[in-house]
Amino acid sequence: RKEIENFWQQIPPAEQTTVRVRRNDWVKRKSEIWRSYLEMFNKSEKSITIMCSYFLPGRLFRKKIAQAVKRGVKMKVILAGTSDIMIAKHAERYLYSWLLKNNIEIYEYQETVLHAKVAVADSSWVTVGSYNVNNISAYASLELNMDVRNPALARFTENELEDIITRHCKQITTEN
């Protein structure tokens, strides 16, 4: 405990930030990560970019995502181009028409199988961890994420995701 306090005191105040550890645990009935995403969908004002391997949002999340876009939030999702679980990929692609109809930009990562799980909102906060936006992560898995409210980290993450989109993704449109 003392080592942690000494370490923490060495960090300049300007470089300190709050990290909120979040978990989903169906055994202990915790749905903290799910609530973080719900908060993101409900409160974002400008932008949300999500990168995850198995993007299958349930009805409530789809409703909240659509409401965010209608409020003017620019939504992008970076998804696997190649998947290690093809049935999940087929189910995900089934949702593409809904995503496109709701003005959500879709990008498929082309380099390898994708296992990233990160989202950034409004250039101000990031959530990263093991949670995929789907009902398995929401209701049947043990998941752990960290929410970091730090504009510098959020802008860095947004820039990295934009670089990934530019250099390693194929945009999915109604035409293709």
Side-chain angles (χ1 to χ4, degrees), residues 56 65 75 78 101 150 164 168 176:
L56 295 163
I65 289 167
M75 177 83 65
I78 304 167
K101 183 177 76 174
N150 180 295
I164 288 167
H168 303 289
N176 67 6

Side-chain angles (χ1 to χ4, degrees), residues 40-120:
M40 185 181 290
F41 300 145
N42 282 332
K43 294 184 178 179
S44 292
E45 297 173 356
K46 298 178 291 183
S47 65
I48 299 172
T49 302
I50 298 170
M51 182 182 214
C52 73
S53 10
Y54 312 109
F55 185 78
L56 295 163
R59 285 186 182 154
L60 178 61
F61 271 15
R62 287 195 311 271
K63 177 182 174 183
K64 296 301 182 178
I65 289 167
Q67 289 173 347
V69 172
K70 285 179 185 169
R71 282 195 321 270
V73 175
K74 183 173 183 163
M75 177 83 65
K76 297 179 184 181
V77 293
I78 304 167
L79 308 172
T82 303
S83 181
D84 56 346
I85 303 176
M86 287 312 297
I87 194 163
K89 188 67 213 171
H90 292 306
E92 187 178 78
R93 284 190 175 140
Y94 179 78
L95 289 179
Y96 282 11
S97 61
W98 180 88
L99 293 166
L100 293 169
K101 183 177 76 174
N102 284 280
N103 298 314
I104 298 159
E105 295 178 22
I106 307 167
Y107 300 91
E108 284 189 350
Y109 184 72
Q110 300 297 303
E111 298 300 312
T112 61
V113 173
L114 176 70
H115 279 285
K117 294 139 180 90
V118 62
V120 61

Side-chain angles (χ1 to χ4, degrees), residues 16-59:
Q16 294 179 16
T17 193
T18 301
V19 174
R20 181 170 68 169
V21 177
R22 308 290 277 169
R23 69 179 167 162
N24 268 36
D25 182 340
W26 64 274
V27 174
K28 296 186 178 179
R29 299 181 188 210
K30 300 274 185 187
S31 56
E32 297 167 344
I33 305 168
W34 186 90
R35 287 196 310 272
S36 286
Y37 273 91
L38 189 61
E39 177 184 352
M40 185 181 290
F41 300 145
N42 282 332
K43 294 184 178 179
S44 292
E45 297 173 356
K46 298 178 291 183
S47 65
I48 299 172
T49 302
I50 298 170
M51 182 182 214
C52 73
S53 10
Y54 312 109
F55 185 78
L56 295 163
R59 285 186 182 154

Side-chain angles (χ1 to χ4, degrees), residues 1-2 14 20 30-31 34 39 43 48 52 65 72 81 92 103 128-129 131 133 137 142 151 162 169 172-173 175:
R1 183 106 171 121
K2 186 126 175 114
R20 181 170 68 169
K30 300 274 185 187
S31 56
W34 186 90
E39 177 184 352
K43 294 184 178 179
I48 299 172
C52 73
I65 289 167
E92 187 178 78
N103 298 314
V128 61
Y131 186 88
V133 180
S137 283
L142 303 177
E162 283 301 319
C169 291
I172 304 301
T173 64
E175 291 76 32

